[in-house]
Amino acid sequence: MERSWEQLVARFARLPGVVAEVDDPLTWGLDLEEETVTGDERPDDPTSQRFLRAYRAFDGEALEVETLHVPCPEEMVDDVVRAAASGALAAPLHADLRSPDFAEEFDDYRSAMRAIVEAVDEVPLEHGTFAVGGINVPCTRVRVRGVAAVYAAAADRAVVVAGPEDLVERVDVVMRPVRSLLQQADDA
């Protein structure tokens, strides 16, 4: 079932606040491909509902900026940032699952996913800062195979940015009221 933009915003914006986005994506060679709410609606899990903005670079690389309703408890941050890095590394695999011989390739996909998760789990987490709205906020970061994922608490929410390391480290991420960038309309 496809939801309208208004339904997506209503689902996410039950709590007042803002969401993360790349400020002026064209500066970074990015095109906004998707904006949606992912996950389920479990109120006890801060990761269960995320506002996602997915960008594609002109060279085909993916960058995702997610906003969580609230910051995660410290014991969850490790899993959140590692899952984001694994997802960014696996993005090219997801595009390859459209072949007619899905059953055979699914085993290859599962093996590749296991290898990705293991590689991400072996890399130590870094603690530093990440700029959100021009302000450096504490963050947890993981870098592996040219991909980076960052988790940072900002504006009473949490931001997760994942994609090519050079883009993650350079893009300007800002917090703004929920609005449809694809439809160019203010909706909340």
Side-chain angles (χ1 to χ4, degrees):
M1 177 176 122
E2 191 169 316
R3 295 183 184 202
S4 71
W5 173 253
E6 291 77 18
Q7 290 169 318
L8 290 173
V9 169
R11 183 175 162 203
F12 192 79
R14 284 183 219 161
L15 302 172
V18 291
V19 296
E21 64 185 57
V22 173
D23 190 32
D24 194 13
L26 291 178
T27 298
W28 310 105
L30 297 172
D31 188 29
L32 180 63
E33 276 193 329
E34 180 182 10
E35 50 191 7
T36 191
V37 176
T38 63
D40 54 28
E41 299 183 42
R42 292 177 292 154
D44 58 321
D45 182 358
T47 67
S48 70
Q49 205 170 162
R50 303 170 183 220
F51 189 89
L52 168 70
R53 287 218 161 96
Y55 300 87
R56 177 97 29 214
F58 295 136
D59 63 2
E61 293 181 304
L63 177 80
E64 291 190 350
V65 178
E66 293 180 296
T67 308
L68 284 60
H69 271 292
V70 295
C72 295
E74 192 62 36
E75 64 272 10
M76 289 181 71
V77 172
D78 182 337
D79 289 339
V80 169
V81 76
R82 288 185 187 281
S86 295
L89 281 170
L93 295 175
H94 297 148
D96 291 341
L97 284 179
R98 297 185 190 130
S99 79
D101 195 7
F102 177 76
E104 181 179 315
E105 291 184 12
F106 184 72
D107 285 336
D108 294 339
Y109 170 80
R110 286 181 38 198
S111 295
M113 285 301 298
R114 276 194 297 276
I116 286 171
V117 170
E118 288 171 9
V120 171
D121 285 348
E122 290 174 2
V123 177
L125 293 176
E126 302 170 20
H127 299 280
T129 60
F130 184 74
V132 179
I135 299 169
N136 286 332
V137 296
C139 78
T140 301
R141 175 185 289 111
V142 66
R143 302 173 212 235
V144 60
R145 297 184 188 170
V147 165
V150 174
Y151 169 93
D156 297 327
R157 299 237 169 141
V159 176
V160 180
V161 181
E165 185 176 356
D166 63 332
L167 275 175
V168 170
E169 299 304 325
R170 293 182 307 145
V171 294
D172 295 323
V173 174
V174 296
M175 302 295 286
R176 293 191 175 127
V178 179
R179 63 195 175 114
S180 173
L181 298 177
L182 288 174
Q183 298 174 19
Q184 296 298 312
D186 290 337
D187 292 303

